[in-house]
Amino acid sequence: MTTCPEVDVVIIGAGVIGLACAASLAGRGASVVVLEREGQTCTGVTSRNSQVVHAGIYNPVGSLKSLLCVEGRHDLVERCQRWNVPYQKVGKLIVASEAADQSRLEELFERGRANGVEGLRCLEASQVQAMEPQLHAAAAIESPETGIVDAVAYARSFWTEAEQAGAVMALCSEVIRIEAHPHGYQVVARNSESEESGVLAAAVVNAAGLDADEMAAKLGIDVDDAGYRLHRCKGDYFSLAPGSPLQLAHLIYPLPEVAGLGIHATLDFDGRLRFGPDTEYVDRTHFNVDPAKAEVFSSAIARYLPEVEPSWLVPDYAGVRPKLAGPGEAFRDFVIQEESARGFPGFVNLIGIESPGLTAATAIARRVSQSLSYA
Ligand SMILES: Cc1cc2nc3c(=O)[nH]c(=O)nc-3n(C[C@H](O)[C@H](O)[C@H](O)COP(=O)(O)OP(=O)(O)OC[C@H]3O[C@@H](n4cnc5c(N)ncnc54)[C@H](O)[C@@H]3O)c2cc1C
């Protein structure tokens, strides 16, 4: 048995968060090994989302979700230029369909301003009409800083950077045990031939996305007691059938719901429209999109795009959110926790990294590096 740490940091999970942490830590001189269960990077939540660069409007003022979204967005814009990652600042409109919704819109506007989001404007119906003729709105908020990004290209840019700084990746390496050790942690992974191997690390970053609660449990943390239990909340997407007579220049969002942002309209880099995600708590991860949901989607979309027909909607893909809040429960923030207080120094749990995790990735990674004293 080795007694000295073989590496400074093991990172569990090669999604955008694990890879951003790898780049940050390796860039600050740490020796880093990333363990990823799948045969390639970014097959998890990172490849199944809206690819929206959020401005930072929605979450409570002072929450990590707000602070790190704004900070991460600034980094993202600069990084996409430097690393040639597809990014477009398309802007978005948040729509109040009825006059009765205007007070909620105003609250959101004030919250966005308090969160430090730049350039927000309140628009009257006529101004919205001039910008988006097919949209039905009593009023709207314009968020010019909202954009779209190629999420996987963005995530993989971190790996290029981490690798250049000496980080090592082990794919097909599913972490099955984590043992606290006098000099750190023995992290044991199983490969596709069911062979086990361990690496002794001074510190561990748990960036396992939907399985992050399971990793914390493997360390010996009581996840229910700690409030780390994750709920899987599926979101389906439908795309607009080719030839359907709808055209938008901005991302369009209704007023947010309790568990999600409402079925919104996003654009890809070719200007194609996609609608979603909805919210459905599920017991297991799966990505089937039920074509019968076209009716429900169509009536939600019709509140702001009255012309839409169910036959214009084609099932596309689905993603699953790692949510700390269960059905109907109140807001929960990101957990970014160095676990010294629970007797696990140098172990950092990243739990409940749902939206806006993609936008916030660099800022989350910076917090992780600081908590491990790689500042
Ligand atoms: C429907 C949906 C829409 C979203 N839209 C947006 C958006 O528009 N903008 C935005 O900013 N954010 C958005 N998000 C949030 C964003 O996608 C996530 O915050 C981000 O991708 C999380 O990345 P991650 O690295 O934590 O997780 P993942 O990408 O899931 O990475 C975790 C990795 O850990 C690996 N892993 C798990 N268990 C083990 C194990 N035992 N051993 C080894 N490896 C393991 C997995 O294989 C996976 O590769 C959205 C999320 C969803 C679900």
Side-chain angles (χ1 to χ4, degrees):
M1 171 71 75
T2 322
T3 50
C4 289
E6 295 156 319
V7 292
D8 294 324
V9 189
V10 159
I11 295 173
I12 306 170
V16 66
I17 303 300
L19 297 180
C21 291
S24 174
L25 287 159
R28 287 167 169 82
S31 55
V32 172
V33 170
V34 181
L35 299 177
E36 166 55 50
R37 180 180 56 199
E38 305 300 333
Q40 52 178 315
T41 61
C42 303
T43 61
V45 187
T46 298
S47 63
R48 292 174 171 277
N49 55 55
S50 300
Q51 305 204 101
V52 171
V53 181
H54 285 296
I57 299 171
Y58 295 97
N59 288 299
V61 178
S63 62
L64 288 175
K65 283 183 176 172
S66 290
L67 295 169
L68 304 187
C69 182
V70 174
E71 181 183 325
R73 166 167 56 80
H74 291 139
D75 294 336
L76 181 150
V77 173
E78 193 263 327
R79 185 177 180 87
C80 287
Q81 269 176 358
R82 201 154 34 93
W83 286 82
N84 239 341
V85 174
Y87 161 77
Q88 234 177 294
K89 196 170 120 174
V90 279
K92 106 171 173 185
L93 300 178
I94 306 172
V95 172
S97 300
E98 313 302 333
D101 295 331
Q102 282 204 30
S103 59
R104 282 187 63 210
L105 200 70
E106 282 157 21
E107 273 170 37
L108 205 54
F109 178 79
E110 290 309 328
R111 180 179 283 197
R113 285 234 294 223
N115 278 331
V117 178
E118 312 85 339
L120 294 179
R121 277 203 309 156
C122 282
L123 304 178
E124 293 173 2
S126 59
Q127 292 171 296
V128 180
Q129 193 69 34
M131 289 169 80
E132 292 286 3
Q134 291 181 301
L135 204 59
H136 165 76
I141 299 170
E142 182 193 11
S143 168
E145 296 302 322
T146 304
I148 52 173
V149 66
D150 180 331
V152 170
Y154 183 58
R156 289 190 174 147
S157 77
F158 291 111
W159 180 242
T160 306
E161 186 182 352
E163 207 172 20
Q164 284 167 359
V168 173
M169 169 93 63
L171 296 170
C172 301
S173 298
E174 179 182 9
V175 172
I176 52 168
R177 276 198 311 281
I178 306 166
E179 291 152 11
H181 187 277
H183 303 284
Y185 299 90
Q186 179 80 12
V187 184
V188 179
R190 187 168 50 201
N191 68 15
S192 33
E193 270 83 52
S194 295
E195 295 157 347
E196 293 182 13
S197 57
V199 51
L200 188 59
V204 177
V205 178
N206 169 14
L210 288 161
D211 299 304
D213 55 347
E214 204 186 299
M215 292 301 105
K218 284 192 193 305
L219 179 65
I221 290 177
D222 180 332
V223 292
D224 291 309
D225 193 49
Y228 289 176
R229 175 76 62 197
L230 286 172
H231 305 269
R232 290 162 192 245
C233 184
K234 184 166 172 269
D236 294 346
Y237 293 85
F238 280 74
S239 51
L240 188 68
S244 308
L246 270 185
Q247 253 191 333
L248 294 171
H250 303 82
L251 311 183
I252 307 295
Y253 282 58
L255 283 165
E257 297 166 353
V258 178
L261 297 183
I263 293 174
H264 45 267
T266 54
L267 292 160
D268 68 15
F269 288 96
D270 299 318
R272 276 190 302 259
L273 267 175
R274 185 176 295 125
F275 298 97
D278 63 352
T279 51
E280 181 188 349
Y281 281 87
V282 291
D283 293 333
R284 62 176 184 93
T285 299
H286 73 93
F287 302 114
N288 309 328
V289 180
D290 179 0
K293 275 191 179 178
E295 292 281 348
V296 183
F297 267 64
S298 164
S299 49
I301 299 161
R303 294 199 68 213
Y304 54 90
L305 287 169
E307 288 168 47
V308 74
E309 298 282 345
S311 61
W312 298 358
L313 302 177
V314 181
D316 201 326
Y317 64 97
V320 177
R321 306 169 180 87
K323 277 188 99 63
L324 283 165
E329 287 176 9
F331 171 81
R332 290 287 308 274
D333 210 349
F334 292 150
V335 168
I336 303 174
Q337 188 63 51
E338 194 279 332
E339 299 287 2
S340 288
R342 288 195 171 85
F344 301 112
F347 196 102
V348 183
N349 277 314
L350 301 176
I351 303 188
I353 312 297
E354 54 169 330
S355 192
L358 173 65
T359 310
T362 53
I364 293 172
R366 196 171 290 121
R367 290 283 169 114
V368 169
S369 295
Q370 285 163 355
S371 71
L372 292 176
S373 304
Y374 286 95

